Amino acid sequence: MTKKTTIDFEALLEKVNADFPTYQVLDQDGNVVNPDLMPELSDEELVELMTRMVWSRVLHQRSTALNRQGRLGFYAPTAGQEASQLASHFAFEKEDVLLPGYRDVPQLIQHGLPLKEAFLWSRGHVAGNLYPEELKALPPQIIIGAQYVQAAGVALGLKKRNKKNVVFTYTGDGGSSQGDFYEAINIAGAYKANAVFYIQNNGFAISTPRDKQTSAETLAQKAVAAGIPGIQVDGMDPLAVYAVSKLARDWSIAGNGPVLIETLTYRYGPHTLSGDDPTRYRSKEMDDEWELKDPLIRFRKYLEAKGLWSEAKEEAVIEQAKEDIKEAIAEADRVPKQKVSDFLKSMFEVQPQTIKEQIEFYEAKESK
């Protein structure tokens, strides 16, 4: 009699789930818990990273105020995600190509986009999308996860031109449920393209909790299906995020293909300031728990213990950031407002009669 073969599906799941620990360097009190992963950053670089993170928190606070004043348009809060965003960006170079989502404006500014243009983009002004050639980036993608597909194409282009640079892109936990996500990591993996993909897992796709989106124990393990490395990192720990990002970039430019990084992070505010109310789906206890893990508090404690940071230094960064934002929003206010006639003029190279008539109609109204 032929012996029946039994397959333990539960054991198969356990084996996959066991391969994705959460990497960390600093605990929430700023203590080093994994010296082996400690990145080689100079004192000056550590201070610069903290400066960028504090700057980002100020940008969030001022952008929220400007939005409520009616001086800013679309805005997706970033408070809580400074380590996930700025420490990851810190591992890349100016010639690397950034493809951001709509929450990733801080990285875009650090990559070279003038703050004024970032504000114009928020207002929906075309001038906020006119990037100089030397800025290796695309405007923030509004379609959830679509930047992943674009990144796969850019990454393949870098590889075909033998560039020692990578494309890096971000989406949220909700984006990892999109078809674009799977298609992108699959084709990038198949061609071993130069890319680092980030899933900023802040726990909620707008109001949908992560555990309602997928039964995967981690989002990093979604890389398995594409045959690429996946890694999960404490997204509130700037040193861990930087270390993993640097290693991933080095791996990719060496010709090994892309890496998928899941950062465990949290957004303290709503999904966007366009009507979302996080109190309807998040508890105060959850907010309080994550505030104890605040990346600024954690990194501040670490730097203060090394004698590299102080309250006075942080106040100086805050005041400078406020001044820069004040000047940038004033510059944005001086940019001429868009006209309907200008939009119509850009529709066709050779304008049909109907469009010509509409241009004349709107120009007459606009001249009054």
Side-chain angles (χ1 to χ4, degrees):
M1 177 182 251
T2 305
K3 184 179 179 181
K4 288 186 178 180
T5 301
T6 59
I7 298 176
D8 189 341
F9 289 103
E10 197 67 38
L12 291 175
L13 266 180
E14 289 175 2
K15 188 177 293 185
V16 171
N17 292 337
D19 289 337
F20 295 90
T22 303
Y23 287 88
Q24 185 184 63
V25 173
L26 299 177
D27 64 16
Q28 66 185 46
D29 294 317
N31 301 311
V32 176
V33 293
N34 186 358
D36 291 340
L37 192 60
M38 175 67 74
E40 295 182 0
L41 289 170
S42 67
D43 289 350
E44 291 75 17
E45 288 172 322
L46 290 169
V47 169
E48 175 60 24
L49 177 53
M50 181 61 175
T51 298
R52 294 185 185 190
M53 289 171 57
V54 171
W55 165 88
S56 184
R57 182 65 63 90
V58 177
L59 178 63
H60 160 78
Q61 294 165 346
R62 296 303 303 143
S63 294
T64 299
L66 289 166
N67 175 275
R68 289 171 176 164
Q69 293 167 11
R71 301 182 68 193
L72 206 61
F74 176 84
Y75 178 64
T78 59
Q81 296 191 205
E82 291 87 357
S84 177
Q85 295 179 316
L86 279 302
S88 59
H89 178 270
F90 204 62
F92 295 92
E93 298 180 359
K94 287 293 184 183
E95 291 301 308
D96 294 329
V97 185
L98 168 61
L99 270 68
Y102 51 76
R103 201 181 306 280
D104 302 308
V105 174
Q107 301 99 297
L108 195 53
I109 295 168
Q110 291 297 336
H111 210 57
L113 181 71
L115 187 52
K116 177 190 75 173
E117 272 72 14
F119 287 147
L120 289 171
W121 174 83
S122 172
R123 293 177 175 182
H125 200 294
V126 67
N129 295 277
L130 303 177
Y131 288 9
E133 186 176 345
E134 61 269 19
L135 177 54
K136 304 301 182 184
L138 291 182
Q141 178 60 261
I142 293 295
I143 302 171
I144 305 298
Q147 63 271 29
Y148 260 52
V149 173
Q150 294 173 314
V154 175
L156 183 55
L158 292 173
K159 181 179 179 65
K160 289 175 72 69
R161 286 182 286 152
N162 297 314
K163 295 287 187 179
K164 290 299 180 183
N165 293 100
V166 299
V167 58
F168 60 113
T169 187
Y170 301 81
T171 193
D173 45 295
S176 72
S177 299
Q178 295 289 101
D180 286 355
F181 167 86
Y182 295 99
E183 294 165 6
I185 63 173
N186 184 67
I187 193 169
Y191 287 97
K192 294 191 181 300
N194 304 12
V196 180
F197 296 100
Y198 287 93
I199 304 172
Q200 296 191 90
N201 179 2
N202 62 26
F204 293 87
I206 306 181
S207 59
T208 305
R210 194 210 72 87
D211 61 8
K212 298 296 184 185
Q213 299 176 53
T214 177
S215 62
E217 191 165 302
T218 69
L219 301 182
Q221 70 196 62
K222 295 189 175 189
V224 173
I228 66 175
I231 187 169
Q232 186 182 77
V233 62
D234 182 347
M236 308 296 267
D237 175 359
L239 295 184
V241 172
Y242 172 84
V244 169
S245 298
K246 182 69 167 59
L247 290 169
R249 182 185 184 276
D250 292 345
W251 163 274
S252 188
I253 62 172
N256 297 306
V259 177
L260 179 68
I261 300 173
E262 175 190 4
T263 63
L264 297 176
T265 186
Y266 197 72
R267 56 171 167 84
Y268 293 144
H271 176 69
T272 71
L273 298 187
S274 302
D276 175 47
D277 179 6
T279 63
R280 298 180 64 183
Y281 54 86
R282 288 192 328 215
S283 66
K284 183 179 184 303
E285 290 74 23
M286 180 179 289
D287 286 344
D288 291 345
E289 177 187 348
W290 278 95
E291 284 178 6
L292 294 175
K293 303 175 184 178
D294 190 304
L296 295 187
I297 295 174
R298 184 181 308 198
F299 203 30
R300 183 185 299 124
K301 288 180 178 179
Y302 172 74
L303 294 181
E304 286 177 344
K306 289 174 67 68
L308 298 175
W309 199 255
S310 65
E311 184 176 347
K313 185 171 288 190
E314 186 159 330
E315 279 301 317
V317 173
I318 291 171
E319 291 307 311
Q320 184 60 56
K322 288 180 178 179
E323 189 61 31
D324 293 343
I325 292 165
K326 181 180 178 181
E327 292 178 8
I329 199 69
E331 290 177 14
D333 289 340
R334 290 193 289 269
V335 174
K337 293 183 178 180
Q338 299 178 106
K339 299 178 182 178
V340 175
S341 59
D342 290 335
F343 289 129
L344 290 166
K345 289 173 185 176
S346 66
M347 290 179 67
F348 296 93
E349 184 177 1
V350 179
Q351 296 156 355
Q353 184 58 36
T354 54
I355 297 297
K356 289 180 179 178
E357 291 172 359
Q358 290 181 56
I359 290 172
E360 291 177 5
F361 172 78
Y362 281 105
E363 283 184 332
K365 292 183 67 174
E366 290 160 356
S367 63
K368 293 179 181 179

